[in-house]
Amino acid sequence: TAAEIISRFQPAGFNNTSAVFDENKLLWLNGRHLKQLALEELLTRVEPFFQKRGLGDIWAIAGQEYNLKALGLLQKKMRTLDEFISFGKYFWVDPDSYSAEAIKRHFQNSETRERLEKLLPALSTLDQFRTDGIEQVVRQVAEHLELQAAELIHPLRVALTGFHVSPSLFDMMAVLGQETCLRRVQNAIAYLKI
């Protein structure tokens, strides 16, 4: 009870040092909280951030089913509601640029454009654009090119998201859909020709 708390309150136990505010710990804690939210609750909390950024129409057009799938993949990685937009906007909007870190890590190789060009027709032939089929095609193309799968997977991730990190590439591609993935790979190829 309140009376018990008041009776146990002892100012003599105060410490002379200032309190420490650890923002990283707060972000970690907030991220843990976001991971525990039901997707439907997360949907209602994230939507105002889309509205605030002028992306409300895109959010509405995508629809609840798509938004829930996208949020489900992002939920594991985000620490704040704003990060769903700043780091996850690619689920709703094609990347208009590539992060400097992504370019440095995965777009510097002179063969990246050619590799993506060889991947494009293989992705376009998939009848059903599902996680397992996408993964199989990407790995087959990498093997055909005598590459480690990662040498194709990482540039592909950059082409699709603009970042060097994302949720599971193949799950993400299945949610984005074939048309979007093909368009973004074509955009990356055009960027790499410059």
Side-chain angles (χ1 to χ4, degrees), residues 39-40 43 59-72 92 175:
L39 283 177
E40 292 76 13
L43 185 85
W59 174 267
I61 290 168
Q64 183 172 351
E65 182 181 343
Y66 179 87
N67 292 339
L68 285 171
K69 287 178 185 177
L71 291 177
W92 294 271
V175 171

Side-chain angles (χ1 to χ4, degrees), residues 21-181:
F21 178 76
D22 187 344
E23 189 172 346
N24 287 328
K25 191 175 234 178
L26 180 62
L27 287 171
W28 172 83
L29 184 62
N30 198 64
R32 298 273 303 182
H33 175 69
L34 290 175
K35 287 178 185 100
Q36 294 173 359
L37 287 177
L39 283 177
E40 292 76 13
E41 175 64 22
L42 186 59
L43 185 85
T44 62
R45 292 186 185 200
V46 170
E47 184 176 4
F49 287 82
F50 275 80
Q51 300 291 344
K52 186 170 80 175
R53 295 266 187 107
L55 298 169
D57 290 345
I58 292 168
W59 174 267
I61 290 168
Q64 183 172 351
E65 182 181 343
Y66 179 87
N67 292 339
L68 285 171
K69 287 178 185 177
L71 291 177
L73 290 176
L74 290 169
Q75 186 177 27
K76 299 172 191 133
K77 297 208 173 262
M78 301 300 122
R79 300 175 305 166
T80 67
L81 292 170
D82 192 54
E83 285 182 356
F84 282 90
I85 311 283
S86 56
F87 294 119
K89 183 169 77 169
Y90 55 81
F91 272 103
W92 294 271
V93 181
D94 288 358
D96 54 4
S97 63
Y98 304 101
S99 77
E101 184 69 20
I103 291 169
K104 183 175 130 189
R105 288 180 178 215
H106 305 297
F107 272 13
Q108 293 295 321
N109 187 325
S110 61
E111 297 173 3
T112 299
R113 180 181 51 81
E114 185 179 315
R115 292 171 181 172
L116 291 174
E117 286 174 336
K118 291 187 177 170
L119 177 62
L120 202 54
L123 289 174
S124 67
T125 61
L126 281 170
D127 291 330
Q128 296 186 349
F129 209 68
R130 295 194 177 141
T131 302
D132 54 347
I134 297 165
E135 181 174 6
Q136 184 179 11
V137 164
V138 171
R139 291 186 185 282
Q140 284 173 347
V141 170
E143 186 177 323
H144 176 74
L145 296 173
E146 298 179 354
L147 300 171
Q148 296 287 325
E151 294 176 273
L152 193 54
I153 288 171
H154 294 303
L156 179 57
R157 174 177 284 114
V158 175
L160 298 174
T161 68
F163 297 106
H164 69 282
V165 294
S166 74
S168 163
L169 176 68
F170 307 116
D171 290 337
M172 177 188 62
M173 290 177 73
V175 171
L176 286 172
Q178 190 172 28
E179 182 183 327
T180 298
C181 289

